Amino acid sequence: MVRINDFVTESKISEHKGFANLLKGVFGAFRNPPAHTPRATAGWRIPEPDALDLFSTLSFMHRRLDAATVIRLASQVIPAADQGRNT
């Protein structure tokens, strides 16, 4: 499990759930529309202001994920930023 906070109060649990929904929503909206539409409408375009807003949102999400904690099944807590390192 990836946790963006200590998950101990109702407010922090709610923040965590909201962040998970944000991740799911952005992925669902922008995963690769041309690959999931008929060829006639494959010329999907995003206006520049929307693209800039999307990049800001992705940056926010990435920053929160970089600072997150990963809870492993064996109850080992590892910061998300250290997941790719060999220990």
Side-chain angles (χ1 to χ4, degrees), residues 38-87:
R39 289 182 184 258
T41 59
W44 185 74
R45 302 267 188 255
I46 183 170
E48 184 177 349
D50 291 348
L52 294 173
D53 288 343
L54 175 60
F55 284 133
S56 293
T57 302
L58 293 173
S59 177
F60 166 75
M61 293 185 322
H62 226 292
R63 192 171 53 254
R64 292 299 303 263
L65 289 172
D66 284 345
T69 300
V70 175
I71 309 296
R72 297 211 179 210
L73 292 176
S75 299
Q76 182 181 10
V77 178
I78 301 173
D82 293 338
Q83 290 299 305
R85 298 182 188 158
N86 292 329
T87 55

Side-chain angles (χ1 to χ4, degrees), residues 8-62:
V8 294
T9 67
E10 195 64 37
S11 179
K12 290 185 177 186
I13 292 169
S14 180
E15 176 191 23
H16 179 85
K17 289 178 181 178
F19 186 73
N21 287 330
L22 177 64
L23 291 173
K24 291 175 190 175
V26 168
F27 179 78
F30 295 99
R31 66 184 187 275
N32 186 5
H36 301 282
T37 58
R39 289 182 184 258
T41 59
W44 185 74
R45 302 267 188 255
I46 183 170
E48 184 177 349
D50 291 348
L52 294 173
D53 288 343
L54 175 60
F55 284 133
S56 293
T57 302
L58 293 173
S59 177
F60 166 75
M61 293 185 322
H62 226 292

